[in-house]
Each structure stands twice: as structure tokens, then as C-alpha cells.
Amino acid sequence: MRVEHLTVSYGEKRVLDGFSLEIPQGVTVLSGPSGCGKTTLLRTIAGLERPESGRVEGITPAETAILFQEDRLFPWRTVEQHLTDVLPRSRWNEVPRWIALAELEGEEHSRPAALSGGMRRRLALVRCLALGGALYLLDEPFTGIDPERTQRLMAFLKELSVPVLLSSHESQVLSLAHQVIGVDGFPLRIL
């Protein structure tokens, strides 16, 4: 999977300018300052932004699962329902495993307002992972999650058989990744 010569602008502001990147197997972290274009890159790969030029090869938007910087949880749905919403009925028996991965046992019937910020973030992350895909795009997935849980979740991500491309500023996440790509911008560029 790779992106080749992507160019994306917002009005006069060019965020990606002929940007290319190979996405290897394993967990790859994009590390760079806020506002340099990491989110735009993830959104373009997911098909949510249309590039002016360039292309994404080896993956279609339908094959990706994206976690946004915002949790985007439905306030009227419970923890359990957030997972059954993305899993086919034939896989609902997996819900306890995803709840355990998020370390939300006992919160199955809680709604997002009853959860802490870290708990909501873990729910959003496992909901994305439960959705499945040939590529996971995770935008700041560990915001508000304590270091011990981050380490356990990173260990899970590293065992996946599909590539994971995530953005993070956290040194712990960088130290646990298979590969770290330093970026700056803009436009976004590899250091």
C-alpha cells in the first residue's frame, strides 16, 4: 500500500504537495507537530478528502477503518451497542472480547456521558478495530489513555495482521511502534 504524489489544498492553503509514502506491515507512527497535515493524509487515504492529484494504491477507502481525533460516540448508545453497531450479528459473540480489550468490563450498559474521557477514547478505538479492515488509520488514538493501557493496546495493534498507520506525539507510543516516520509541514513532508 502506498500513496503517490498526493496533493490536497484547502482554498489557497496547500496541505499535501506531491506527498508520497509506502505503508508497511506493522504499526507505523506519523510523528510531527500539530497542524502539519497528518490528519489530512489519513482522511485522504480513507477517501474522506479528494486529492487534486496523486493516488492511493493497494487499498480502497472501503477497506480502511478510521479513528478520528474526536471519539464520535453516540450519546444514546451503550458501550455494548457501540460494538454491535459495527459487528455483523454473526459476530456479536465477540463483544465481550472487545470490551475486555478496552478494559470496560462492568460498563457494558453505560452510555458515553457516564464514562471518563479515557474510557470513551478506548471505546472509540476498539469500535474502530472491531469494524475491521485491510488498513487501520488511527488519529491520535491514545489521547487521554494512561501509559499502562496504552502499552497493552499497542501490543494488541502490533499483533494485527494488517498495517496500522497512526499519528501520535507521545514518546511512549513512538517507542513501541514498528516504525516511526518524522514529518513536518506544511505542506506535509517527511523529515
Side-chain angles (χ1 to χ4, degrees), residues 18-41:
F19 186 84
S20 297
L21 174 70
E22 181 120 4
I23 303 169
Q25 190 69 16
V27 177
T28 301
V29 177
L30 297 171
S31 178
S34 294
C36 71
K38 300 180 303 290
T39 296
T40 297
L41 175 63

Side-chain angles (χ1 to χ4, degrees), residues 87-106:
L87 289 168
R89 186 178 294 273
S90 62
R91 292 181 48 209
W92 282 7
N93 61 322
E94 297 176 20
V95 167
R97 179 176 75 100
W98 291 110
I99 289 173
L101 177 63
E103 299 184 22
L104 291 173
E105 298 96 332

Side-chain angles (χ1 to χ4, degrees), residues 40-60:
T40 297
L41 175 63
L42 296 177
R43 290 178 56 84
T44 304
I45 295 169
L48 300 174
E49 299 291 341
R50 187 177 193 100
E52 297 159 43
S53 63
R55 62 183 179 270
V56 178
E57 292 185 340
I59 190 84
T60 65

Side-chain angles (χ1 to χ4, degrees), residues 162-176:
V162 299
V164 177
L165 182 62
L166 66 89
S167 67
S168 181
H169 303 283
E170 301 169 50
S171 58
Q172 178 190 20
V173 175
L174 304 182
S175 71
L176 295 171

Side-chain angles (χ1 to χ4, degrees), residues 7-23:
T7 298
V8 176
S9 299
Y10 299 111
E12 297 296 313
K13 185 174 167 181
R14 184 154 286 180
V15 180
L16 303 178
D17 188 11
F19 186 84
S20 297
L21 174 70
E22 181 120 4
I23 303 169

